[in-house]
Amino acid sequence: MKIVVKKILVFLVLLLNVTMAAAFDETSVAGFFPIKDQGREVWNFNPEWRFHLGDIANAEALNFNDENWDIVSTPHCVKLEPSECSGGRNYQGIAWYRKHFIAPANHLEIYFEAIMGKQKIYINGQLAEVHFGGYLPIIVHLDKFGVKKGDSCVVAVKADNSDDESYPPGKPQYLLDFAYHGGIYRDVWLIAKNEVHITDAVLAGHQAAGGLFVHYNHITNHSAEVLTNTEICNNSANVRKITIEQFLVDASGKVVQKTSSRMQLASGTTQVVYQKMKVRNPHLWSPETPYLYSLITRVKEGRITLDGGRTRIGIRYFEFRGKNGFWLNGKKYRQFVGANRHQDFAYVGNALPNSQQWRDVLRLKQAGFNIIRTAHYPQDPSFMDACDELGIFIIVATPGWQFWNKKNPEFESRVYENTREIIRRDRNHSCVLMWEPILNETRYPKSFSLKSLKITKEEYPYPYRPVAAADMKSAGVYDNYDVVYGWPGDDKNPNKPKQCIFTREFGEYVDDWYAQNAINRACRGWGEKAMLTQALSLSQTTSTMYQTTGQFIGGCLWHPFDHQRGYYPDPYFGGIYDAFRQPKTAFYMFASQRPIHSGSSYVGEKVNPMVYIAHEMTSFSDSDVVVFSNCDSVRLITFGGAHTYTLPVLHPVSECFNAPVIFKNAWNFWEARDLSYKHKSPQKVNMIAEGIVNGKVVCSMKKMPSRRSVHLRLYADTMNKPLVADGSDFIVVVAEVTDDSGNVRRLAKEYVKFSVSGEGSIIGDGTINANPRLVEWGSAPVLIRSTRKAGEIHIHAEVEFPGIHAPTSADLDIESVPYQGQFCLFPQKIMTSLSGVSCKEDANKNRALTDQQKRKMLQQVEQQQADFGTIK
């Protein structure tokens, strides 16, 4: 009885620890979510970096005077830029970061999730690391520099995002379809590990090994085997007898399986422990039901935990069956309709906090997407975590775009290294479905293609391996890769490949590559007609994703968020959200493709019926009224019931595709004028759309034209994720201009000036057109960053040029929540000032080119895109 009671208590303590860890912090660090009694200790290393834009002599030195440098928190962009800063307007060159700290423990490592470009990292004036590449982790061990607990230390980082052809992507930014936004733009962590610990998968450098590798076997709806390879290192001077414990915990907190292994580890050696657990009646992961288990790992010596952590895993099995399509968990899966994703955001470049990574995934989920292609590089670890949690498959791409350096073999070897490190970093994510180990739209030799494919198999040599995908027009792909990139209709071609076919980028139709006028691109500020044209164009191209014999399995939209580009002066305006993540009309078209009650759109929510009236009832609006809906039919009632129309939601290519519902001549400006001006009944100028399912009205939407601008209205775009008081997190707050009934005045053109008091600050000022901000399509966004103190933040907005008839001001109070982790701060200084000396910037290091030379180079970019079918 005592033994039974003891076991029950152990399980209860474990469940409590798992629950507390989940509530404590849902941010993974170096592949592990925290648990109580973890062994390793983690500090947030983001605050209190001193920053200088430009190069400066001896900045790496221990005693260098950085008192007058700016004080910043990472993730950090080297320079805030306007929301439209394409065409190479962003800063390229050297920037320096320095951080002073007291070592809080022995056996420390600094874990940089990514720094753009090439980097040199110094510890106390000594060169610690030289790294090439801007998308993968850099880890610096402080033991090598004699750092002990209590020591005063300085880490200095020289970051350089200049063009460099020696490492991927390699292409100069002025010929690039995205931008090399500089800085330490992802999180930085300080980690203390015991001398006996789990190795890091990337740093270990071992093929199909290093760290914790979770894989699976014999998965059915009735049972599954969860297998783990855990690599343990002993850096102590003695032989150590240790135990590796693993518990598999379901979403309710119940332990469903456990395993334990003992080993004796000699001094200075590393060993892999192989363990297996069988799960009965597993909950299977899918985009519709993204069920995650928690795998708790602890390395123990007696009762003392030396190392450990929590890994979220999803059990699923899949097959690409060629002409029979894609199968998930034993069933034929629906067509893939997804999106590519660049990581930049308005003003801050790539420096997004974890909360915005999560919100981006939720935004894509709410648009109905079930797959994301990471364009054209691996994404932030928190983005990957969010895809696991919210349920979206991922294609992880190796950095590269239209560039092959045949003169320097080091470039090729660095591509291979990137691919291996990507797989080692991301292999435990249930969302990973494919690797893209080649270079996008690039002419490379067949030997490179085949070796890249081989690497994906070497690094993941187990069942349910994420497959390798590449463009079938590239050397070595057609006959060898698991999935090939192609187009709708390729499955009907007599010379079709045997593999499943996937479209990597759909939606693009330009009139002329140099001009880049495209029917699918619409800046939100261009208004109703442009955004509706974009939405209808994307509706047509999206419908082609459903035209299949079975072998064609779908594709990814280019691109869901407006983003900056190097080779063109305008941003890419093809997003269904703008750079602030405000939705355009096209978002609602995609949202209307979500099947009602198809499962969770994200954890805890079903997909509901929806109707959206894509019409603003202005004097310039079309006479036709377009409605997007996922219902059976739509009833449109106009002008207070004067007219009623009912039309079905048609499915011209597939039952899964909902065509726009178009009510011809349902809007008449003159009829609206008569009601308002002659009959004094402006309240009757309205439209009501009702969604009908099985003969019953299940949803509705009402639209009225806005009258004169009267009020400002503020809302915080938190998406139910609160602002965290860590000094790095930010949210978007939006000011809307409305009439006296609360209808958004879409044609307003006021400037809104924002101010903040309390525990927050505004990102950007008038120099980048951030504050005051011009109202576009009825709204003006502002970015609000937290301090490290939780509390109330008061946001005030007012029209910059007030007058008797100008809209009134508006106020909003929000609350930041405490950060639950621990910071590594320098205790002898209170660093509160965000101002510093004005640093002289290096000029962009682009070559001096004539207009003729630039045009010739751009023609080469155009030809390569045409060769790979990117533009139509």
Side-chain angles (χ1 to χ4, degrees), residues 69 195 400 433 471 486 733 757 759 793 819:
W69 285 18
E195 290 178 310
L433 185 64
D471 197 297
V733 171
S757 59
E759 300 304 327
I793 302 170
Y819 176 67

Side-chain angles (χ1 to χ4, degrees), residues 264-278:
Q264 184 169 292
L265 194 58
S267 171
T269 63
T270 297
Q271 190 171 325
V272 178
V273 178
Y274 300 93
Q275 295 171 292
K276 180 170 69 175
M277 291 175 280
K278 189 169 183 178

Side-chain angles (χ1 to χ4, degrees), residues 418-455:
N418 276 348
T419 300
R420 290 191 186 277
E421 291 186 357
I422 287 167
I423 296 173
R424 292 166 188 170
R425 191 197 73 161
D426 292 341
R427 65 197 179 192
N428 291 340
H429 287 285
S430 51
C431 62
V432 175
L433 185 64
M434 305 183 217
W435 311 114
E436 187 181 308
I438 49 78
L439 307 174
N440 186 63
E441 295 177 13
T442 301
R443 301 182 189 95
Y444 44 74
K446 183 178 180 180
S447 59
F448 166 78
S449 176
L450 296 181
K451 184 167 182 178
S452 297
L453 173 63
K454 183 182 178 184
I455 286 172

Side-chain angles (χ1 to χ4, degrees), residues 40 46 71 79 138 197 227 267 277 285 326 424 466 474 478 493 516 553 572 613 626 641 776 793:
R40 65 178 61 188
N46 286 329
I71 299 172
K79 186 184 177 188
I138 309 153
H197 59 266
L227 301 98
S267 171
M277 291 175 280
W285 186 97
F326 174 70
R424 292 166 188 170
S474 298
Y478 185 93
N493 191 313
Q516 297 253 334
I553 58 175
Y572 180 79
I613 303 171
V626 177
E776 291 185 319
I793 302 170

